[in-house]
Amino acid sequence: MKKKRTFFGIGTILPYLKRYRAEFIGIALASALGSLIDIGVPLFQRYALNRFVALGSMKGMPVFAAIYLGAILAAAGFNYISCIWGMKVEVGVERDLRDAAFSHLQTLSFSYFNQNSVGYIHSRIMSDTQRIGELLSWTLLNSAWQLCYVVGSVIAMFVIAYTGNNANVLNYKTAIINEYSGWEEDLDARERELKIRESELKEKEIELRGD
């Protein structure tokens, strides 16, 4: 009877992961939310510089400080939850794999242990299950965090570039139109000022001729 081929043994590991489905979902969600808040921290700082430092105003500072502190605490909470669940998954998967390996060893014949060192078998079981547990827990945590951070950072950069005042590839048409409209308003204001001065000069000329 032919054995089913699995991609790098993933099919063999999946039965041991089903009981930790909720923890895996929690790790992914907590990591994603934590990374999104980490992306928002520079945006908070950007707002503070533009709103409070550039304008020299402290209006709204207490509300901003409370929101900023809440975001920092929320990010710390999500990171703590993801780490706790990551450790739970790591220890649980390692325990289940070692239990299954020990149960399988009990079914082997004495000749197998005569041909293979018990110390080597024990070392391989301990080290291999530890690597699998770390791979499934911390790799998932880091991958979810990094993926969400990269995608969120790209989206944030596009939003900043599109809504910013500086001309760039995304908003160059709007920036140029705004710049030329500003020039036009400035020229119109100067033209009105010149007309006022011309009218004043004409009135003075008329008064001088009358004298």
Side-chain angles (χ1 to χ4, degrees):
M1 183 176 179
K2 294 183 178 180
K3 295 182 179 181
K4 294 182 179 180
R5 294 183 178 181
T6 58
F7 186 72
F8 292 104
I10 294 177
T12 307
I13 298 296
L14 286 178
Y16 299 95
L17 306 181
K18 291 181 179 180
R19 68 180 64 182
Y20 303 103
R21 187 179 303 170
E23 285 78 3
F24 280 119
I25 296 174
I27 290 172
L29 290 177
S31 300
L33 293 173
S35 65
L36 292 178
I37 295 175
D38 290 337
I39 293 170
V41 170
L43 300 179
F44 276 111
Q45 297 171 352
R46 176 174 176 262
Y47 175 83
L49 291 173
N50 295 333
R51 177 67 178 82
F52 304 115
V53 178
L55 299 179
S57 174
M58 298 297 290
K59 185 178 180 181
M61 174 63 79
V63 176
F64 173 81
I67 296 174
Y68 185 76
L69 180 60
I72 297 296
L73 294 177
F78 286 127
N79 292 331
Y80 176 79
I81 292 172
S82 61
C83 290
I84 290 295
W85 282 343
M87 288 187 288
K88 181 179 179 180
V89 170
E90 178 186 2
V91 174
V93 171
E94 291 177 7
R95 181 197 58 216
D96 296 341
L97 290 174
R98 288 167 184 171
D99 289 343
F102 179 78
S103 299
H104 178 68
L105 288 174
Q106 305 306 306
T107 63
L108 300 177
S109 62
F110 286 106
S111 60
Y112 176 83
F113 295 100
N114 290 331
Q115 297 173 0
N116 297 277
S117 171
V118 176
Y120 174 76
I121 296 172
H122 178 269
S123 176
R124 283 296 304 271
I125 291 175
M126 298 299 293
S127 62
D128 291 352
T129 53
Q130 181 180 0
R131 290 177 182 176
I132 293 172
E134 292 176 354
L135 177 66
L136 294 175
S137 57
W138 301 113
T139 303
L140 173 64
L141 191 154
N142 293 328
S143 299
W145 189 92
Q146 292 171 0
L147 178 63
C148 293
Y149 192 85
V150 170
V151 174
S153 297
V154 172
I155 295 174
M157 286 189 292
F158 272 100
V159 171
I160 292 173
Y162 187 78
T163 58
N165 296 324
N166 297 326
N168 52 64
V169 177
L170 296 178
N171 67 343
Y172 70 94
K173 289 184 178 179
T174 305
I176 292 174
I177 291 173
N178 292 335
E179 186 174 0
Y180 278 110
S181 63
W183 291 353
E184 185 177 1
E185 292 176 358
D186 189 17
L187 290 174
D188 291 340
R190 292 184 179 182
E191 186 175 357
R192 287 193 298 269
E193 186 178 354
L194 288 174
K195 288 181 178 180
I196 292 172
R197 291 184 178 181
E198 287 179 358
S199 62
E200 291 177 353
L201 289 174
K202 287 180 179 179
E203 290 177 358
K204 289 181 180 180
E205 287 180 1
I206 293 172
E207 290 178 357
L208 292 172
R209 289 177 182 177
D211 293 339

